[in-house]
Amino acid sequence: MATTALIAKVPEAEAVVGALRTRYDAAAQAGVPAHITILAPFMAPDEITLSVLRRIRHALHAVPAFTYSLESIGRFDATAFLAPTPAEPFVSLTASVVAEFPAFPPYGGLHSGIIPHLTVAHGDAHAAAVAATELESRLREHPPISARCGIISLLENASGRWKEMHTFELPARL
């Protein structure tokens, strides 16, 4: 079923995580760049209207652009990820969009709470453990990943591959 997702792309992380994501994360294989999810799944692509885009823009404007780093590795059962510091602006972005679109809870309502993260491996506990070990080694070899979140992308997968549908610029400051 076709859907959309709101994400913050993290091109600054590709050199460190790109090959691992290609190997261990089906989303990367389907065209999703390194990112931190703001809200997924979201509505069907054919439901995205100019009105919806205006509402998304309004919700996202609650949080100004910000810088963050990705230095710590986290794990869920079958997932290895990088955690952003600070995490709070990502939580605020998600909360603001969910307040505007309450029919679309984070993670489809499968998990309680919001834990911002950049997925490196997903789907298999053993593969996630292997990826976490490789990621730890890569982080020692590279400088800390510093990034700026100033644009949120709306992706859609109607063709079976994820493609950018629209972008939203965060305000410079409130």
Side-chain angles (χ1 to χ4, degrees):
M1 182 173 137
T3 192
T4 58
L6 289 161
I7 68 166
K9 293 181 185 177
V10 188
E12 299 88 346
E14 288 289 356
V16 176
V17 303
L20 291 172
R21 290 186 68 246
T22 298
R23 217 173 335 152
Y24 297 114
D25 184 12
Q29 297 163 20
V32 180
H35 71 282
I36 297 172
T37 300
I38 304 303
L39 186 61
F42 192 45
M43 62 181 61
D46 61 358
E47 295 175 8
I48 302 292
T49 63
L50 288 176
S51 174
V52 168
L53 294 174
R54 281 192 293 272
R55 290 173 61 200
I56 294 168
R57 181 176 291 109
H58 173 75
L60 294 173
H61 272 232
V63 179
F66 58 94
T67 57
Y68 61 97
S69 64
L70 295 163
E71 299 176 39
S72 63
I73 300 167
R75 288 287 313 276
F76 301 129
D77 289 340
T79 304
F81 62 87
L82 286 172
T85 302
E88 195 284 326
F90 291 106
V91 174
S92 293
L93 285 166
T94 299
S96 186
V97 174
V98 170
E100 183 67 27
F101 298 94
F104 299 96
Y107 317 113
L110 294 176
H111 308 287
S112 62
I114 300 166
I115 301 173
H117 60 281
L118 188 157
T119 299
V120 176
H122 177 70
D124 174 84
H126 176 71
V130 170
T133 300
E134 287 186 45
L135 183 57
E136 190 174 319
S137 174
R138 288 172 185 234
L139 287 176
R140 282 193 301 268
E141 296 170 5
H142 292 327
I145 301 168
S146 295
R148 180 175 187 278
C149 181
I151 295 176
I152 304 300
S153 295
L154 176 65
L155 304 184
E156 59 88 9
N157 69 349
S159 71
R161 297 219 17 105
W162 287 92
K163 296 177 184 170
E164 192 167 77
M165 186 177 194
H166 197 82
T167 60
F168 304 90
E169 194 168 333
L170 298 179
R173 60 185 151 232
L174 296 178

